[in-house]
Amino acid sequence: SQTIHQWPATLVQPVGSPLSLECTVEGTSNPNLYWYRQAAGRGLQLLFYSVGIGQISSEVPQNLSASRPQDRQFILSSKKLLLSDSGFYLCAWSVGGTTYEQYFGPGTRLTVT
Amino acid sequence: AQSVTQPDIHITVSEGASLELRCNYSYGATPYLFWYVQSPGQGLQLLLKYFSGDTLVQGIKGFEAEFKRSQSSFNLRKPSVHWSDAAEYFCAVGESGNKLVFGAGTILRVKS
């Protein structure tokens, strides 16, 4: 069966520091991968998605970036965090190809101080 | 672009009572529709999905949803709510490019 991991689970970082969140999927090949942000009391905002290694699409311009160095690894990064980057970050995957059903990881709670 | 509206931000029901969470979507063709549930501090779990066929779909945890094309709705129902159902519920519609568009969510509170 498929499993999706995210780490760390919780992170507190000062403004201006770098960020690296990691997501990995097991039990499937060539998945579509997604990064979402969920701010307090708000819905899900799609940040990035990827249909293959090195293929990243950005949905919202901001100081975040994403990379997919391996088939089942998706990384969210920032060079300098802003207060507004605080939130709950969720990674998700779906079967490659034309599909919509997504499966979510446990999330990372990021607090920028 | 597709959009999803969940009109109720909060809903409170008594344990054992029936539940209906509303979802309206905007989409020209037959949509791919989903309901997810999120407990505090956790990821989203897929409850059920509609792609085609029977307009009444069954999901996990005793939930069901009915697709009504004429009303552009996909409401979630449960005949008897349990305290463990307290969570936030999200409706979503598939968008081109293998993406989902989510509603703003409905927070369900269950009172004993």
Side-chain angles (χ1 to χ4, degrees):
Chain A
S1 63
Q2 300 85 8
T3 308
I4 179 168
H5 303 278
Q6 286 186 246
W7 65 88
T10 305
L11 191 60
V12 180
Q13 292 283 91
V15 168
S17 64
L19 172 73
S20 180
L21 303 181
E22 189 165 344
C23 170
T24 59
V25 181
E26 298 176 353
T28 188
S29 296
N30 196 30
N32 298 323
L33 295 171
Y34 308 83
W35 277 113
Y36 290 88
R37 177 168 60 202
Q38 192 175 25
R42 301 176 65 177
L44 282 80
Q45 179 187 34
L46 179 62
L47 302 175
F48 302 94
Y49 70 98
S50 171
V51 299
I53 295 174
Q55 302 177 62
I56 310 296
S57 296
S58 174
E59 291 293 296
V60 182
Q62 56 211 327
N63 70 322
L64 298 172
S65 62
S67 61
R68 185 171 176 173
Q70 300 180 41
D71 181 44
R72 290 169 289 177
Q73 184 184 31
F74 205 23
I75 297 172
L76 182 69
S77 303
S78 174
K79 294 181 179 179
K80 289 185 178 181
L81 283 169
L82 305 173
L83 285 174
S84 58
D85 292 322
S86 293
F88 193 52
Y89 288 81
L90 289 159
C91 181
W93 72 274
S94 67
V95 174
T98 306
T99 184
Y100 298 94
E101 189 171 333
Q102 294 182 17
Y103 301 94
F104 285 79
T108 295
R109 172 71 60 190
L110 171 66
T111 303
V112 182
T113 61
Chain B
Q2 285 74 274
S3 65
V4 177
T5 301
Q6 293 181 245
D8 303 304
I9 299 174
H10 297 96
I11 281 187
T12 300
V13 299
S14 297
E15 191 170 15
S18 63
L19 170 70
E20 183 169 27
L21 301 182
R22 296 183 290 164
C23 172
N24 293 98
Y25 65 89
S26 170
Y27 190 71
T30 300
Y32 294 83
L33 295 162
F34 305 85
W35 274 100
Y36 286 85
V37 60
Q38 183 182 32
S39 296
Q42 299 186 20
L44 277 69
Q45 181 182 22
L46 180 65
L47 282 176
L48 47 78
K49 59 190 176 186
Y50 172 78
F51 288 170
S52 64
D54 193 347
T55 56
L56 184 62
V57 294
Q58 303 296 321
I60 63 172
K61 303 185 179 187
F63 286 92
E64 66 178 25
E66 186 171 13
F67 169 60
K68 293 185 177 180
R69 182 188 301 276
S70 62
Q71 298 177 21
S72 298
S73 69
F74 188 57
N75 294 349
L76 182 71
R77 302 194 294 247
K78 187 170 185 178
S80 178
V81 170
H82 188 262
W83 64 266
S84 60
D85 293 323
E88 188 162 15
Y89 292 80
F90 292 93
C91 181
V93 64
E95 186 177 61
S96 61
N98 302 321
K99 296 181 286 185
L100 291 178
V101 175
F102 285 87
T106 298
I107 295 173
L108 172 65
R109 298 180 178 134
V110 180
K111 59 181 181 181
S112 56

